[in-house]
Amino acid sequence: MSTPDRKKVYFLILVFLFSFFKTVVAFPESGNEVWLRYAPVEDPVTLREYQSLTRRVFIFGDSEILTSALGELNYGIKGMTGTEPATSGKLRAGNIIIGKTTDIPGNILRIPEDQLSKLTQEGYLIIRKGKRIVITGKSDAGLLYGVFRLLRLLQMGESLADLNILENPTTKLRLLNHWDNPGKLPAGIPSVERGYAGESIFKWDELPHLNRRYTDYARMLASVGINGTVINNVNTAKNGLEGWKLLTPEYLPKLKALASEFRKYGVKLYISVNFFSPVMISGINDADPANSRARKWWSDKVAEIYSEIPDFGGFLVKADSEGEPGPMKYGRSHADGANMIASALEPFGGLLIWRAFVYGNKELSPDRAAQAYQIFKPLDGNFAGNAIVQIKNGPIDFQVREPVSPLFGAMPLTNQIIELQITQEYTGHDKHVCYLVPQWKEILDFDTYAEGPGSTVAKIVDGSLFGYKYSGIAGVSNIGDEANWTGHLLAQANFYGFGRLAWNPALETEKITDEWIRLTFGNGEKVYSVVKEILLTSLKTYEDYTSPLGVGLMCNGGNTGHQGHFTPAPSSRVNYHKADKSGVGYDRTMVTGSGFTGQFFEPVRSMYESLEKCPDELLLFFHHVPYTHKLKSGKTVIKHIYDTHNEGVEQVRGYYENWKNLDGLMDEDRYQDVLNRLKDQIKYAEQWRDSINSYFLKLSR
Ligand code: GCV
């Protein structure tokens, strides 16, 4: 037997042994590899097909990103087929060919004009040409995304027979936002605010020394198309935090090191900064946008950063909010403040992202939900071209259910980014399964009617509705330094789903879920159906046993540690849910309430205003009703509360029982870890049920 043939036989034996042992003792897995596990292909026919098409790779061009793409391709194919492709010096059959549209000669691939014109800067085309697979695009990043896509197809056991996939990201800015705290931590403050997966992955004491985890982090981001990351908390000085120090010279080499690693995967580095930086760092008398010294300070600082990090993304700012300072101290508007920093970034192509999470101003409506709109709507048209306003999905704060923020659609002249929360601050931390993709889909598909029917949030944040120059989707990260990155293994699905939706908000929940399960657990049907059922019902289940009918905040108050916003504490939240003996819910109507409904476009406004038309699931967000009020389901509000809280707990019991059926069908570590968490979730769900039901029983009698 020739050496290659012998190798093939050895590999088939190995695959056989692997499959055999997997059924008896599956290899331990920590979840560290996330959805990039590249497990050996088990089906022999598929394996042969893949082997014959992945023997060699030929790459046009040379760059850091292409090196990453090639490294990933080799690693993935070796894992799945047993053989690393040879990097071929010659173009031959069986090659995977990677190259930009401008680099691939016409005799290898003549891309039809209509396809070529459809490709955008970060998109890719994967096409089968005889015995070759060609991955092409207009940028190195596009090629990298194409490689990840091809590897995904292989992992999912898809046929490569008629490959012809053209895909572009719909959204320009696809950002991760870390709430990680650099520097010395004040007593009792965790290294990740609202983080439940261990400590921060950013090891500031060790930087600029890099470790493998930064590379894996960047791979993970690129694999789902995330192209930028803000690595520190928007709270930069509150309670003694030291995030503001990232702008001091000590940190620049550390930032440079991180940027250099992320760049290899097409990910730009951004940081959160403090509006008072000129004062805090350089002792300038004030940070007033009208102060030329403050303005110059920002310009000099930005130039210093770009001299080391030429592709630096820009800054994220939380100003005049929850103790973070801002321009209002000087009687200036948010636009004045944002524009000062934006103009410093502008010559370098940097972006200034300004958060709209602002409330508590005494001159505004006493209804927190109404305040951000009151402040920002009048500023439409005043923000600089490279400034972007980042808006949380809802008007309160990442509740399990709240309406979409009325600011979406209300600022046609102002670039906008939507902020979603991947970390489960209000949706069960790392202790409850709560798959958020269905929630995000509902938000992105929501029709604001800003420009008549079809004015969805997705079209606002992909920039198409108003022709924004910059827009996108940001997600508050759920990543920490635990082995599996996200604490709860099933919370990896939230990270994956966020990235996929940020890439294309039109993707269906089912498709994203299907991908994640197969990539994470393989293609076994039993595991697939159990995990799918848990994921797809988990949001409703969580909502059922926590806050009913859109009433929102019912949890304990806000310390940023691991206990904050976790347990039920309805009696401490009366300001939000307004429950009393006569009824429950916040009257936000124009006729009798806070008038918040008036911030929406018609017909949404009338829908929320009307008790009859308001959807049940948001009833208590908009209306105060007696406990005996009948819902569209025919049940009274109080009966609904009792029933859903009981049903929610039963659902979690079901998850636990169903998970038990997976014993032996996956590695013991991941199996046990999820099993234990589901067991605990029953206890937490019961606690919620008992607390909420007895609270309303006492009130309503
Ligand atoms: C980063 C809520 C959270 C805070 C968070 C804040 C924000 O208040 O509880 O932890 O701070 O939102 O988004 O700025």
Side-chain angles (χ1 to χ4, degrees):
M1 213 177 343
S2 67
T3 315
D5 284 347
R6 203 175 293 147
K7 269 196 189 153
K8 212 188 278 171
V9 170
Y10 289 156
F11 183 70
L12 285 172
I13 295 172
L14 265 177
V15 170
F16 171 77
L17 287 175
F18 176 82
S19 327
F20 173 73
F21 278 120
K22 247 186 88 184
T23 51
V24 186
V25 267
F27 292 123
E29 289 196 46
S30 62
N32 179 259
E33 303 261 83
V34 293
W35 44 90
L36 305 172
R37 294 161 59 245
Y38 305 131
V41 177
E42 287 173 32
D43 174 51
V45 179
T46 312
L47 178 63
R48 267 197 300 279
E49 183 198 4
Y50 290 177
Q51 282 175 327
S52 73
L53 284 164
T54 60
R55 284 200 201 107
R56 283 173 288 275
V57 51
F58 186 96
I59 193 154
F60 288 94
D62 182 19
S63 74
E64 281 188 319
I65 295 183
L66 287 181
T67 305
S68 306
L70 185 61
E72 193 72 28
L73 191 73
N74 287 342
Y75 176 66
I77 288 178
K78 173 144 196 241
M80 289 184 280
T81 69
T83 315
E84 183 168 308
T87 308
S88 174
K90 271 198 200 136
L91 280 164
R92 290 160 55 187
N95 273 344
I96 296 174
I97 296 172
I98 302 173
K100 283 197 278 216
T101 51
T102 44
D103 291 344
I104 297 189
N107 62 338
I108 295 175
L109 177 69
R110 196 166 298 286
I111 309 169
E113 250 330 293
D114 63 319
Q115 282 198 310
L116 194 60
S117 61
K118 271 191 207 140
L119 262 183
T120 62
Q121 201 51 22
E122 290 177 290
Y124 57 79
L125 171 66
I126 307 179
I127 200 158
R128 177 79 187 263
K129 281 274 156 196
K131 292 208 148 201
R132 292 173 177 152
I133 296 170
V134 184
I135 303 177
T136 188
K138 291 194 169 156
S139 66
D140 291 344
L143 300 182
L144 176 66
Y145 297 141
V147 164
F148 275 116
R149 176 63 184 271
L150 179 66
L151 290 170
R152 193 160 76 224
L153 292 173
L154 265 61
Q155 288 196 84
M156 293 177 69
E158 304 280 338
S159 162
L160 306 180
D162 303 307
L163 283 178
N164 192 347
I165 304 172
L166 189 153
E167 210 174 298
N168 295 309
T170 320
T171 317
K172 187 165 183 146
L173 298 166
R174 307 179 296 278
L175 306 176
L176 203 58
N177 283 189
H178 284 267
W179 285 356
D180 294 27
N181 297 316
K184 243 190 263 107
L185 296 170
I189 303 284
S191 62
V192 186
E193 180 157 341
R194 314 300 179 192
Y196 313 105
E199 302 299 322
S200 170
I201 55 164
F202 302 112
K203 306 296 178 198
W204 294 99
D205 290 344
E206 294 166 19
L207 283 163
H209 171 77
L210 294 167
N211 62 46
R212 171 72 211 181
R213 197 111 166 133
Y214 296 117
T215 316
D216 287 340
Y217 166 80
R219 287 175 56 226
M220 199 159 84
L221 267 58
S223 72
V224 288
I226 293 173
N227 61 3
T229 179
V230 187
I231 54 171
N232 65 305
N233 193 353
V234 287
N235 291 329
T236 56
K238 187 177 166 184
N239 301 328
L241 289 175
E242 293 191 340
W244 59 276
K245 287 191 176 170
L246 288 194
L247 285 182
T248 60
E250 179 198 344
Y251 278 90
L252 192 50
K254 299 172 192 272
L255 296 177
K256 185 179 177 180
L258 288 175
S260 68
E261 196 55 28
F262 301 164
R263 181 180 301 122
K264 295 177 189 162
Y265 288 86
V267 177
K268 280 192 179 185
L269 179 85
Y270 296 69
I271 58 171
S272 298
V273 298
N274 189 294
F275 187 77
F276 275 8
S277 293
V279 180
M280 296 164 85
I281 296 174
S282 297
I284 290 175
N285 52 334
D286 65 49
D288 186 344
N291 177 352
S292 57
R293 288 187 67 207
R295 300 182 76 85
K296 177 161 180 344
W297 186 89
W298 281 109
S299 296
D300 293 347
K301 183 52 73 183
V302 167
E304 186 188 334
I305 295 175
Y306 276 89
S307 69
E308 296 293 325
I309 310 171
D311 58 349
F312 181 68
F315 298 141
L316 172 65
V317 187
K318 169 175 177 175
D320 287 314
S321 166
E322 296 187 335
E324 289 289 305
M328 286 170 110
K329 176 173 163 63
Y330 308 108
R332 313 281 172 208
S333 74
H334 281 265
D336 296 332
N339 292 349
M340 165 175 60
I341 308 177
S343 74
L345 289 156
E346 200 276 332
F348 303 93
L351 303 179
L352 187 274
I353 307 171
W354 192 267
R355 290 175 93 230
F357 182 64
V358 176
Y359 64 97
N361 186 329
K362 298 279 174 293
E363 285 146 36
L364 301 172
S365 159
D367 178 5
R368 172 172 164 180
Q371 296 180 4
Y373 181 101
Q374 287 184 308
I375 297 173
F376 280 87
K377 163 80 183 152
L379 298 176
D380 188 31
N382 295 356
F383 283 90
N386 65 327
I388 309 161
V389 173
Q390 179 164 307
I391 305 160
K392 286 192 184 185
N393 61 265
I396 299 288
D397 194 11
F398 298 134
Q399 298 307 292
V400 65
R401 173 80 64 180
E402 54 180 311
V404 152
S405 165
L407 272 173
F408 294 111
M411 301 182 76
L413 304 173
T414 308
N415 298 318
Q416 291 191 343
I417 285 179
I418 189 170
E419 182 177 314
L420 304 172
Q421 195 179 46
I422 315 171
T423 192
Q424 293 171 236
E425 174 181 355
Y426 292 102
T427 48
H429 297 194
D430 60 332
K431 310 245 180 312
H432 299 238
V433 189
C434 188
Y435 181 51
L436 293 163
V437 170
Q439 185 200 60
W440 298 333
K441 268 305 275 184
E442 234 178 274
I443 292 162
L444 292 163
D445 289 347
F446 182 79
D447 196 344
T448 66
Y449 284 85
E451 295 279 280
S455 307
T456 59
V457 172
K459 283 194 187 159
I460 293 166
V461 300
D462 73 15
S464 61
L465 192 69
F466 299 123
Y468 289 151
K469 182 157 184 210
Y470 300 106
S471 56
I473 304 191
V476 180
S477 157
N478 63 345
I479 280 178
D481 72 355
E482 279 188 10
N484 71 7
W485 301 88
T486 54
H488 201 308
L489 178 74
L490 300 186
Q492 283 185 4
N494 283 332
F495 188 99
Y496 182 85
F498 166 77
R500 299 286 289 126
L501 273 184
W503 173 274
N504 179 7
L507 286 176
E508 294 299 330
T509 300
E510 283 268 332
K511 177 170 166 44
I512 297 171
T513 315
D514 177 76
E515 286 174 10
W516 182 78
I517 300 171
R518 293 189 188 283
L519 298 172
T520 306
F521 293 108
N523 294 307
E525 283 314 312
K526 178 75 190 167
V527 175
Y528 177 82
S529 65
V530 168
V531 177
K532 184 171 166 186
E533 198 263 338
I534 293 178
L535 288 181
L536 291 182
T537 56
S538 61
L539 176 69
K540 177 170 186 312
T541 297
Y542 184 80
E543 183 174 1
D544 277 353
Y545 62 73
T546 56
S547 294
L549 301 166
V551 78
L553 277 164
M554 283 232 150
C555 57
N556 66 328
N559 83 64
T560 58
H562 294 301
Q563 298 314 315
H565 296 165
F566 184 69
T567 47
S571 56
S572 69
R573 296 293 195 171
V574 181
N575 277 352
Y576 286 96
H577 57 69
K578 305 278 186 194
D580 55 25
K581 285 185 180 151
S582 69
V584 54
Y586 200 131
D587 184 352
R588 293 189 159 103
T589 61
M590 292 181 291
V591 175
T592 52
S594 75
F596 171 66
T597 53
Q599 295 182 353
F600 291 92
F601 292 92
E602 284 294 9
V604 181
R605 181 188 302 167
S606 300
M607 173 178 72
Y608 289 150
E609 178 77 12
S610 144
L611 190 55
E612 289 69 44
K613 288 196 217 138
C614 184
D616 279 353
E617 66 270 15
L618 281 171
L619 184 74
L620 304 184
F621 191 93
F622 287 108
H623 297 272
H624 187 84
V625 296
Y627 295 103
T628 50
H629 175 84
K630 271 232 169 89
L631 296 170
K632 295 188 179 62
S633 65
K635 279 188 188 173
T636 60
V637 165
I638 193 70
K639 178 90 171 96
H640 173 93
I641 294 176
Y642 297 149
D643 286 354
T644 50
H645 281 73
N646 289 322
E647 285 157 17
V649 173
E650 289 316 309
Q651 277 285 100
V652 184
R653 289 211 177 99
Y655 297 164
Y656 177 68
E657 291 307 320
N658 289 345
W659 191 267
K660 278 190 188 161
N661 294 329
L662 305 185
D663 194 4
L665 297 179
M666 68 175 77
D667 52 288
E668 190 62 11
D669 286 6
R670 294 192 300 169
Y671 167 75
Q672 279 298 343
D673 184 39
V674 175
L675 186 75
N676 293 337
R677 286 177 199 261
L678 288 173
K679 193 168 176 198
D680 288 346
Q681 189 178 341
I682 298 175
K683 191 178 68 197
Y684 296 123
E686 285 169 350
Q687 193 187 357
W688 267 97
R689 176 200 61 194
D690 295 346
S691 165
I692 302 297
N693 281 356
S694 60
Y695 178 73
F696 284 114
L697 178 65
K698 230 186 264 160
L699 268 184
S700 67
R701 270 170 282 126

